[in-house]
Amino acid sequence: MKKIIALVIGILFSWSSVISAGEGTALENTRIAKDVAGTAVHANFDVLDDEFDYAPDVTLACLECHTEAAKQVHSTFHWSWAKKVDDILVGKSQNGFNNYCVSARGNESCTQCHAGYGWRNEDFDLDEEENVDCLVCHDTTGTYKKNSASSGHPYYEDKIVNGTVVQKAVDLAYVAQHVGVPERDNCLACHANGGGGNGVKHGDTDMSLVNPEFELDVHMSPEKLNFSCQDCHSVNEHKISGRYVDRKAFIDHDLNMGRKDREGNNVSCESCHSAEPHDDRDIDNHTAKVACTACHIPEMARGPYLTKLSWDWSTATQTKEGKPFVINQMFDGVENIAYTSKKGTFVWGKDVVPEYRWYKGELGQMTFQDEFDPSKAPIDINPPTGRYSDPDARIWPFKIHKGKQPYDSELNRMLPIKLYGRKGTGALWTELDWEKALAAGAKLNNVEFSGQFDFIETNGYWPIKHMVAPADQAVACGACHNKESRLKGLNDFYLVGRDRYAFVELLGIIMIFGAVAAVSVHGVLRVITRRRRRPDHK
């Protein structure tokens, strides 16, 4: 009887907690949901008490309870790395490219960030459930590391360099027994290190966001809100909200993040803050055309790490005395590579003012099948869509990464590169031979290659949306409303303080002086007529 009473009390307590949570604001509900403790201790599960020596066996153990998890993962962009756009699959895995390492096919080290095991070539089975990597997102120990040389598998043996263990083999059973809700470390392990290293690619995402100071990010700092990634990137059946090649970065600007239909879908700043959060009509009027991020993220790479601003592949393959070499540079107290024979020349930056473009949440994406006019370089390979006249478009900050990458100079199409591999495979990083690397890369990606190539300048666009600064560090009005405006790249509208139209200004001057003259004449006439109306006037 006591057990039954205790059970009833527990159920009532749970109901009361849910009801209380429902009465709070959407933001409060999000925080409550995050703080709920787990309901299972995985270390107590017999199925995980095993000497695992192969990571897919851990996945099979997970699926004994989480029967639908792999199927859900298989339906996500995180798994497929491609979505259909105009009936063509576009993404990391197929057709899509950027101006960093260009394409994932040909660079197997990219697959260390895929949520799976063994994606090395077209033989990879995307429908096999045991290929799903549960641990990469759910590890809470910080000991789970993928091996870049094994296509997404973890380290099964110690990695030893010059007699020193630089990476211990992963204890798969220990990790499996300590899984939990993904934390910032899990997400940032890949999203902060894309493009070849910490902070390289995005400009607003690096490992400093694992534990940021309030000055760096007001949402994620433990000093205040301590948001997890999922507080904004909500999840439903393993689908994580965010912009993909086939989906906008936001769906609307309505308040109420807590709606159930938002789970796994996109949200905007306004869905938490509303479109009029300032209690100042002049500032709130800006939100119709200016994204919140444009004012509240004043610079990129605001933390301790640099971000890459340009990558010139055309200078790669140089050697000294027949051997590859590296040149390092110091920038703002941080040492980074300025040149390497494997990759070419880099330019880095810190506390960099973004560039601004009209953006309605969508980026275009060139493919290896698209032809272009080389005379129009630099080529925009993934330009944002939108313009001033578009009601959904807003002024948005971007990191525009400048590249110089190979293209087929006869077919006028971009070319993938075979980067990673053993000698004899044509891998650029092994053989330092452009002809071999481009021929091998084209074959891997099913791309036609004429054998003729050159290098062309490109622009890659990365929307800036993290590292939100405190309100008192927002971009000042004068930074845009002046002749040296931050918005110099947007010239399809009139901006007060920046733009000059001779006719408008002449008309304004005429109107001002005309008004002054009219008031003066009126005043003189009033004085004269007043004197005439006086009784003693003669």
Side-chain angles (χ1 to χ4, degrees):
M1 178 63 70
K2 289 182 179 180
K3 290 183 178 179
I4 294 174
I5 293 172
L7 179 60
V8 171
I9 292 173
I11 292 172
L12 291 173
F13 179 79
S14 300
W15 283 353
S16 66
S17 299
V18 171
I19 293 169
S20 298
E23 292 173 349
T25 65
L27 188 56
E28 288 169 348
N29 291 345
T30 302
R31 308 307 308 150
I32 291 169
K34 180 183 175 184
D35 294 335
V36 171
T39 58
V41 178
H42 286 75
N44 294 337
F45 292 170
D46 291 340
V47 70
L48 298 179
D49 187 16
D50 197 355
E51 293 293 329
F52 293 105
D53 57 7
Y54 187 54
D57 290 339
V58 178
T59 299
L60 292 176
C62 296
L63 293 175
E64 289 195 24
C65 291
H66 303 279
T67 58
E68 304 306 303
K71 297 182 183 68
Q72 292 173 2
V73 171
H74 283 172
S75 68
T76 69
F77 186 79
H78 272 85
W79 178 255
S80 65
W81 276 8
K83 287 287 185 179
K84 274 197 173 183
V85 179
D86 297 330
D87 294 325
I88 299 175
L89 278 172
V90 180
K92 291 184 179 72
S93 67
Q94 196 166 345
N95 294 319
F97 64 91
N98 60 34
N99 57 5
Y100 287 91
C101 286
V102 186
S103 64
R105 287 193 179 194
N107 182 11
E108 285 84 353
S109 61
C110 289
T111 57
Q112 68 181 302
C113 271
H114 182 251
Y117 300 122
W119 194 345
R120 182 180 297 274
N121 52 42
E122 291 185 347
D123 295 333
F124 180 67
D125 189 351
L126 284 164
D127 296 322
E128 181 58 64
E129 293 190 358
E130 70 177 39
N131 285 342
V132 172
D133 183 353
C134 305
L135 302 181
V136 69
C137 294
H138 292 282
D139 168 42
T140 65
T141 69
T143 65
Y144 185 78
K145 304 293 181 185
K146 281 176 171 274
N147 186 348
S148 62
S150 62
S151 300
H153 282 270
Y155 284 90
Y156 293 125
E157 298 177 350
D158 292 348
K159 181 180 180 180
I160 301 174
V161 177
N162 297 326
T164 302
V165 177
V166 296
Q167 175 60 54
K168 292 186 67 63
V170 175
D171 185 338
L172 292 171
Y174 176 72
V175 175
Q177 292 168 10
H178 294 84
V179 293
V181 175
E183 295 292 342
R184 291 193 292 262
D185 310 63
N186 302 96
C187 303
L188 290 169
C190 284
H191 287 282
N193 289 284
N198 183 19
V200 167
K201 184 180 286 185
H202 293 284
D204 64 342
T205 307
D206 59 40
M207 293 304 291
S208 64
L209 291 179
V210 169
N211 187 30
E213 297 179 353
F214 180 71
E215 297 286 307
L216 179 61
D217 191 285
V218 299
H219 296 109
M220 302 179 77
S221 173
E223 300 173 38
K224 295 281 183 160
L225 297 172
N226 198 27
F227 272 18
S228 69
C229 299
Q230 300 95 299
D231 283 329
C232 289
H233 297 280
S234 56
V235 182
N236 181 35
E237 296 184 348
H238 285 89
K239 293 184 177 70
I240 301 172
S241 66
R243 180 192 57 78
Y244 307 140
V245 292
D246 69 328
R247 189 165 73 177
K248 290 185 179 182
F250 42 76
I251 53 174
D252 57 46
H253 299 279
D254 292 338
L255 188 63
N256 188 3
M257 180 179 172
R259 294 208 313 258
K260 286 290 292 182
D261 61 2
R262 284 196 183 279
E263 293 183 4
N265 293 309
N266 295 301
V267 296
S268 59
C269 300
E270 293 91 333
S271 66
C272 279
H273 295 282
S274 86
E276 299 178 345
H278 302 96
D279 294 324
D280 183 318
R281 189 174 69 174
D282 289 338
I283 298 178
D284 284 336
N285 283 344
H286 282 67
T287 62
K289 283 297 180 184
V290 182
C292 304
T293 52
C295 295
H296 290 282
I297 306 178
E299 290 89 25
M300 303 182 293
R302 295 175 50 243
Y305 305 112
L306 307 179
T307 190
K308 192 174 289 182
L309 301 179
S310 75
W311 184 334
D312 184 353
W313 277 104
S314 70
T315 62
T317 71
Q318 297 177 25
T319 60
K320 285 184 177 180
E321 298 179 354
K323 295 181 178 180
F325 64 98
V326 176
I327 299 175
N328 292 321
Q329 68 173 3
M330 293 295 295
F331 186 93
D332 200 13
V334 182
E335 185 176 47
N336 275 66
I337 296 174
Y339 176 82
T340 170
S341 299
K342 291 169 57 174
K343 298 182 178 181
T345 305
F346 304 142
V347 174
W348 302 85
K350 189 172 178 293
D351 297 316
V352 180
V353 174
E355 297 185 57
Y356 299 85
R357 296 292 185 271
W358 291 110
Y359 180 52
K360 58 179 181 180
E362 296 174 320
L363 295 176
Q365 177 62 60
M366 287 183 65
T367 72
F368 289 125
Q369 286 73 43
D370 292 331
E371 295 184 19
F372 58 87
D373 183 352
S375 68
K376 294 183 178 180
I379 306 299
D380 290 334
I381 60 178
N382 64 329
T385 60
R387 56 186 184 276
Y388 175 74
S389 59
D390 191 326
D392 292 329
R394 283 162 176 75
I395 296 172
W396 198 279
F398 281 86
K399 172 184 171 180
I400 302 181
H401 182 256
K402 314 293 183 184
K404 194 168 185 181
Q405 61 192 102
Y407 79 104
D408 190 309
S409 55
E410 183 173 311
L411 300 177
N412 292 334
R413 297 172 183 163
M414 294 296 179
L415 286 171
I417 315 169
K418 168 68 174 172
L419 296 173
Y420 190 89
R422 295 187 177 90
K423 195 167 185 178
T425 63
L428 185 73
W429 292 346
T430 305
E431 305 189 31
L432 298 180
D433 186 312
W434 272 116
E435 287 192 25
K436 291 181 180 179
L438 293 176
K443 183 178 180 180
L444 278 171
N445 286 271
N446 300 313
V447 171
E448 184 181 359
F449 178 38
S450 71
Q452 304 300 311
F453 70 94
D454 202 344
F455 296 86
I456 193 164
E457 294 181 350
T458 58
N459 290 328
Y461 292 80
W462 302 92
I464 300 299
K465 48 198 177 296
H466 302 104
M467 296 187 177
V468 177
D472 60 3
Q473 295 180 24
V475 175
C477 301
C480 295
H481 295 281
N482 71 72
K483 293 180 180 179
E484 301 300 321
S485 174
R486 284 184 174 220
L487 306 182
K488 57 186 177 183
L490 298 175
N491 301 308
D492 58 346
F493 71 105
Y494 179 81
L495 180 61
V496 176
R498 179 195 69 174
D499 298 326
R500 296 188 62 184
Y501 292 144
F503 174 76
V504 173
E505 292 179 0
L506 178 61
L507 183 61
I509 291 171
I510 292 173
M511 292 174 67
I512 291 171
F513 279 100
V516 171
V519 170
S520 300
V521 170
H522 178 72
V524 171
L525 291 175
R526 290 277 294 177
V527 171
I528 293 173
T529 56
R530 185 179 178 185
R531 291 181 62 191
R532 289 179 176 175
R533 289 197 301 269
R534 289 172 58 183
D536 59 345
H537 180 70
K538 295 182 180 180

